Structure formats: structure tokens, C-alpha cells
Amino acid sequence: MRTALVTGAARGIGAATVRHLAGQGYAVLAVDVAEDDPALPYALGSKAELAAVASRTGAEPFVADVRDPAALAAAVAEAERRWGGLDVAVAAAGVIAGGVPLWAVPPDQEDAVLDVDLRGVINLARAAIPALLRRPEPRTGRFLAVASAAATRGLPMLAAYCAAKAGVAGLVRALGAELGGTGVTANAVSPGSTDTPILAESARLYGLSGAEDFAAQQPVGRLLEPAEIARVLAFLAEPGSGATTGAVVPVDGGLAL
């Protein structure tokens, strides 16, 4: 049985990834901060949502803030204690803020974006990759992160978010090089406009009527579903995906075109 730890698991792409991996027989630790951030003007995933994901999938819920290295170390230790090791770590936790030029963004909102969306991925890598490497050879450990089309597109009034996601892409490329020869790989997916609470908040920040207004910018002509992103993450989590490392895979409905 393969084991996985997923952050941002209460809703969105994180919850969809928990559902998909659990459906494939993984034992999953579903990690989320499960409370709002006073710096951010929209609701984050809740304890009730995390419990519902766990109840529907058989995953084990675990409350932890990705900004807290000790909390993530405890989450990794819990996965190893429960199941004897860790095979997959997925950094899906994310927040968004902006709606005004960078210099007008409140510093606490900017900190939240950078600390969750980039530092949180780094914190998970520091905690989880040693656990992936503790598996005996031949290893098939997988470190995965959710980047964004914002990593390569200059989105006005979302500068901190763009910077954080570009950092995730660079981090994954470096980790792929660092992990060469170990059997552990590092990859990211780069979603386009996906029907999640973050996209709904993006629409509000831009003064749009709703998230559906973003659909027209993608050649597929619709919003993506979180399950579509999760399916690609699940492929990258497989032992058979070992030829792919240091990659940032676009799952963006053609947005990068």
C-alpha cells in the first residue's frame, strides 16, 4: 500500500487529490490549517470541510499550518507512524490576495500569500523529502506541488501570487536536479482557471461577476474541474512516472498557448 500526505486538503484541488489517491488505494493523511486567516478577507477551508473529505474517502485528517515547519514535521511523523513510511507528498495548500497594485497590497496579505504559497511548499519539502528518502531502495517517492499558470503570466494586481507560483516552479526544477539518482522525483502541475474558492476570490478581486468570467480566456472555453488537476497529480504520484522529474506540467485548458 502506498501512502500520501496532501496539504490544502479541505477543499479545491487538495480535496480532489485526496479523493483521487484514496480511490486508487492510497492511505492518505489529509492536512489543512482548517481555519480562517485574519489577514485574508475570504473564508479558508474549515474543520468541517476537512472532516467531510476524510469521512468520504477514508483519509486521516490532520490539522496543520504549512507555514509552521514543526507542524508539518509532526504531520510527516504521523504518516510514518501510522503506515510505516511515506511515498508521496503533495503541496496543494494555497491562498490569494491582491486586487490592487503590489505597492498598495497590505503587508500582512502579501506575507500570507508568500508564506503559504511558496514557503509552505518549501516547508513541506524539508519535512517530507527526508521521509521519502527513508524508504528502502529501489525508491519511488514523489514530491508534488501545485504551481499555476500565474507562474509564467504577468497577472496585474496579483503580483505576490505570481511571484510565489514562479518560485514553486523554480523550486521543483531545483529539487528534480538535487534528487537525481535517488528514485525520488519532484514535479509540479500548473493549473489554469480551475473552479475553486481561490478562483472565486480572484473574480472578486478583479470586480467580475463570478469565476465563470475566466472561462473565455482558455481555449477549451470552460473552467477546469479540480478533479482534472488531481488526475494529473495522481499520474505523477505513480511509481511508473519515474522518467518525469523537475517538470512543471501545464493542466490549463490551453491557457499557456
Side-chain angles (χ1 to χ4, degrees):
M1 178 182 64
R2 283 174 70 75
T3 65
L5 183 158
V6 180
T7 68
R11 63 187 190 182
I13 292 170
T17 302
V18 171
R19 288 192 289 269
H20 203 79
L21 292 177
Q24 291 185 326
Y26 285 73
V28 183
L29 194 73
V31 178
D32 202 282
V33 67
E35 65 180 11
D36 290 341
D37 187 325
L40 298 173
Y42 72 102
L44 303 186
S46 67
K47 287 184 173 65
E49 288 172 307
L50 180 62
V53 170
S55 176
R56 288 193 293 264
T57 62
E60 292 293 334
F62 193 97
V63 174
D65 189 335
V66 297
R67 293 172 289 192
D68 183 348
L72 286 183
V76 170
E78 176 65 11
E80 290 188 297
R81 184 193 69 79
R82 280 183 176 275
W83 302 305
L86 184 65
D87 299 297
V88 178
V90 182
V95 299
I96 200 163
V100 293
L102 176 67
W103 52 91
V105 175
D108 57 347
Q109 291 188 15
E110 179 183 276
D111 287 345
V113 171
L114 295 174
D115 288 348
V116 173
D117 295 1
L118 178 56
R119 177 64 71 178
V121 180
I122 295 171
N123 287 342
L124 183 63
R126 291 177 66 89
I129 289 176
L132 302 178
L133 292 170
R134 283 193 283 272
R135 285 296 208 191
E137 295 185 15
R139 302 184 192 92
T140 56
R142 305 287 180 253
F143 181 81
L144 304 173
V146 177
S148 170
T152 54
R153 293 169 64 91
L155 302 181
M157 301 190 292
L158 292 176
Y161 186 76
C162 290
K165 293 302 187 176
V168 170
L171 173 70
V172 161
R173 286 192 288 267
L175 288 175
E178 289 182 355
L179 290 165
T182 66
V184 176
T185 62
N187 293 291
V189 296
S190 189
S193 294
T194 305
D195 191 9
T196 65
I198 279 183
L199 192 68
E201 176 63 4
S202 300
R204 188 191 71 81
L205 292 172
Y206 278 126
L208 303 176
S209 60
E212 191 63 36
D213 287 355
F214 289 111
Q217 69 183 339
Q218 300 183 145
V220 295
R222 62 175 177 83
L223 298 183
L224 308 179
E225 293 298 326
E228 295 179 287
I229 316 304
R231 280 193 285 272
V232 179
L233 285 165
F235 161 72
L236 294 170
E238 293 176 0
S241 69
T244 303
T245 195
V248 182
V249 180
V251 192
D252 61 6
L255 183 60
L257 301 175

